[in-house]
Amino acid sequence: MRIFSSILIITGLLFAIAPAANAKTKIFACEPEWASLAKEIGGDKVETFSATTAMEDPHHVRAKPSLIAAMRKSDFVICSGSGLEIGWLPVLLQSAGNSKVQPGNIANLQASSVVHLLEKPASVDRSQGDIHPEGNPHVQLNPHNIALVAKELTARLSQVDAVNSAYYKSQYAVFSEKWQQAIKRWESEALSLKGTPVVVHHMSFTYLNDWLGLTQVATLEPKPGVPPTTGHLEELLKTLNVHPAKAILRSSYDPDDASNWLSEKTGTPAIKMPYTVGGNESATDLFGLFDSTIATLKGATGDK
Ligand SMILES: [Zn+2]
């Protein structure tokens, strides 16, 4: 009897120590677009967590205990990178002490490292409040970038969770096929937007403008991360009176006071863009994000 009990205890201990064969890979995403992409590729083999919502500014996040706890449990981290999360991600990584997901490891993917980075300065300079010293980190609004990140994510997940490698590759094949079809549709729908002059609050739409050929004529922020000043807005008003724009774009988390002020003075519509998954009611996933982005732009510019 005693032997039998001992066997039971030892077996129980072994089960407690060994990871469950069906345990899901826990993915910590810094922003909602990457959590959404991880769901597309990871399907039911992963559990995703987004550190921020579409209503939160991803440059400025408090490294609160719940985020540290999520980081500690994670098997994989995916973030925009290029300095977007410089104020909080390193703190989370250090506080969590999770060796699997430290920078440089395969389980730590910086999306901006696999795309062509725009606005990359000749040298890194954080002076005068510029929060894009390494280039523009808001890479998610060009769907071709999403495709590149999806490919890299699949390759890495297949290594981190090798047992499910075939599953991730098949999920990717399905996603990729649907995504490429959607890109063709979006590009055809947005043809009429080419050359449309727009003002942006923050440099959040650089990749969208680049993709669709929109012309960014001004930013409400005098420098990335520096809030609009009265002097800067007065100057913009003069410029826009001579060279009018068709829309003033802001992200789902930008404050609306500056764009509303300029809109009242110029008659140019101020538009809240979805910016990421969850940014409005239609942007429930990545497909909805781009459907809604193009529909919003066409609505704003009178090209419905
Ligand atoms: Zn930014």
Side-chain angles (χ1 to χ4, degrees), residues 194-242:
K194 200 164 184 183
T196 301
V198 294
V199 175
V200 299
H201 180 106
H202 175 67
M203 299 290 262
S204 310
F205 304 102
T206 297
Y207 294 86
L208 177 71
N209 296 341
D210 181 56
W211 172 47
L212 297 180
L214 305 182
T215 308
Q216 182 177 306
V217 292
T219 60
L220 301 187
E221 291 180 339
K223 268 180 182 294
V226 176
T229 59
T230 310
H232 180 67
L233 291 176
E234 293 284 358
E235 281 302 310
L236 279 189
L237 186 55
K238 283 183 208 158
T239 312
L240 292 177
N241 281 336
V242 182

Side-chain angles (χ1 to χ4, degrees), residues 59 90 159 166 181 255 283 294:
H59 306 88
Q159 289 188 56
Q181 289 299 325
I294 288 167

Side-chain angles (χ1 to χ4, degrees), residues 12-74:
L13 276 175
L14 281 176
F15 270 112
I17 293 163
N22 60 353
K24 295 190 179 194
T25 296
K26 293 185 180 63
I27 301 185
F28 180 107
C30 288
E31 292 86 21
E33 62 269 23
W34 308 128
S36 200
L37 185 62
K39 275 182 205 151
E40 296 282 356
I41 306 300
D44 58 11
K45 304 295 181 197
V46 302
E47 194 179 299
T48 58
F49 171 86
S50 179
T52 55
T53 70
M55 307 308 158
E56 291 171 295
D57 181 348
H59 306 88
H60 304 289
V61 175
R62 195 168 71 82
K64 53 192 177 196
S66 59
L67 294 183
I68 297 169
M71 179 63 82
R72 190 170 291 136
K73 286 191 291 188
S74 68

Side-chain angles (χ1 to χ4, degrees), residues 9 28 65 93 108 144 146 161 163 171 193 222 282 289:
I9 289 165
F28 180 107
L93 284 163
N108 182 313
H144 295 284
I146 298 283
D161 181 24
V163 180
Q171 287 282 107
L193 292 169
S282 311
L289 168 62

Side-chain angles (χ1 to χ4, degrees), residues 14-204:
L14 281 176
F15 270 112
I17 293 163
N22 60 353
K24 295 190 179 194
T25 296
K26 293 185 180 63
I27 301 185
F28 180 107
C30 288
E31 292 86 21
E33 62 269 23
W34 308 128
S36 200
L37 185 62
K39 275 182 205 151
E40 296 282 356
I41 306 300
D44 58 11
K45 304 295 181 197
V46 302
E47 194 179 299
T48 58
F49 171 86
S50 179
T52 55
T53 70
M55 307 308 158
E56 291 171 295
D57 181 348
H59 306 88
H60 304 289
V61 175
R62 195 168 71 82
K64 53 192 177 196
S66 59
L67 294 183
I68 297 169
M71 179 63 82
R72 190 170 291 136
K73 286 191 291 188
S74 68
D75 302 303
F76 199 96
V77 169
I78 178 167
C79 297
S80 294
S82 287
L84 179 62
E85 304 93 356
I86 195 79
W88 54 283
L89 183 58
V91 181
L92 290 184
L93 284 163
Q94 199 187 5
S95 307
N98 178 346
S99 60
K100 277 189 285 192
V101 295
Q102 294 301 316
N105 287 3
I106 197 156
N108 182 313
L109 173 55
Q110 306 293 300
S112 57
S113 71
V114 297
V115 309
H116 175 64
L117 206 61
L118 298 176
E119 296 164 1
K120 200 169 177 174
S123 61
V124 173
D125 179 10
R126 289 188 189 282
S127 63
Q128 299 172 313
D130 190 337
I131 49 170
H132 294 167
E134 297 167 39
N136 192 307
H138 304 279
V139 301
Q140 81 278 10
L141 287 178
N142 180 336
H144 295 284
N145 286 351
I146 298 283
L148 291 170
V149 180
K151 193 175 179 196
E152 182 68 16
L153 175 63
T154 305
R156 292 192 185 208
L157 271 180
S158 300
Q159 289 188 56
V160 169
D161 181 24
V163 180
N164 292 313
S165 167
Y167 175 84
Y168 295 131
K169 285 171 185 162
S170 116
Q171 287 282 107
Y172 170 73
V174 172
F175 171 76
S176 199
E177 170 78 28
K178 264 173 69 187
W179 194 248
Q180 292 305 327
Q181 289 299 325
I183 289 179
K184 277 187 203 151
R185 179 166 51 80
W186 293 323
E187 288 180 348
S188 141
E189 287 170 1
L191 269 179
S192 56
L193 292 169
K194 200 164 184 183
T196 301
V198 294
V199 175
V200 299
H201 180 106
H202 175 67
M203 299 290 262
S204 310

